[in-house]
Amino acid sequence: MNDTFFSRCLRRLGMACWWACGLASLAAWADAPPPPPPPSAPSRCPSLEDWQPSDLYGLWRAEFSPGAATPITLLLERHPELPGSVRGVMQRDGQRVWLSGDVDNGDFTLEESDNGRNISATWLGTVTEQRCGREIKGTWTSDKTPSTRQFVLRKLAD
């Protein structure tokens, strides 16, 4: 009987301690100042002067007017030999085309080569600041034939 009485006393004492700790925690929480707001995410919209080659990395969709009925997807990555530049690739009419270019104060230049040695076309454009750099508009000029087209590049993914 003493063992049972002793066990009950320990249980009650344990419950009382549990409640006391819980109430103390609740009181401390109620009196504590609110936690600071989470830090805001930095703006991912650089000004044209702050544009870096890394802002060009990723997949882009090119649409031409007048011209190609099917948009072309470009992949631009870090240029391994030229810091401050990008290198990439695209497929046009089933043929691989190599790309190399850069951006300077929002001015975009891209050269393409269909044989990996000679320039076959040039892209000159401007980063659209209102679209947070996810759009570039300009003129594509073929070096092989006297043709010029307007282009719009839109960023698909990083």
Side-chain angles (χ1 to χ4, degrees):
M1 179 146 193
N2 285 343
D3 193 65
T4 305
F5 175 74
F6 183 69
S7 297
R8 277 188 269 155
C9 287
L10 282 177
R11 274 195 303 265
R12 287 183 184 156
L13 183 60
M15 288 295 285
C17 287
W18 184 82
W19 276 103
C21 289
L23 288 174
S25 296
L26 183 61
W29 177 77
D31 290 339
S40 60
S43 172
R44 183 62 182 112
C45 195
S47 68
L48 294 181
E49 297 81 30
D50 295 332
W51 252 66
Q52 300 295 317
S54 59
D55 294 313
L56 294 173
Y57 298 170
L59 292 172
W60 294 78
R61 172 70 45 102
E63 295 177 1
F64 297 91
S65 62
T70 306
I72 298 172
T73 302
L74 292 74
L75 172 64
L76 298 177
E77 300 175 308
R78 182 181 66 83
H79 198 296
E81 293 127 20
L82 299 173
S85 297
V86 295
R87 186 161 74 180
V89 67
M90 68 179 187
Q91 290 281 111
R92 179 185 293 126
D93 301 326
Q95 180 181 6
R96 176 175 280 210
V97 178
W98 290 268
L99 307 165
S100 183
D102 60 24
V103 64
D104 184 30
N105 288 326
D107 294 328
F108 173 76
T109 303
L110 191 68
E111 296 171 337
E112 68 177 67
S113 173
D114 55 12
N115 65 10
R117 291 180 305 278
N118 306 98
I119 297 172
S120 56
T122 305
W123 307 55
L124 299 175
T126 304
V127 176
T128 307
E129 194 166 18
Q130 296 82 3
R131 295 285 313 261
C132 198
R134 299 188 67 81
E135 181 179 87
I136 300 171
K137 292 182 178 184
T139 304
W140 174 90
T141 305
S142 172
D143 287 7
K144 291 184 169 187
T145 62
S147 64
T148 300
R149 297 183 189 160
Q150 298 304 305
F151 73 82
V152 177
L153 281 173
R154 290 189 179 93
K155 188 123 187 220
L156 298 176
D158 294 325

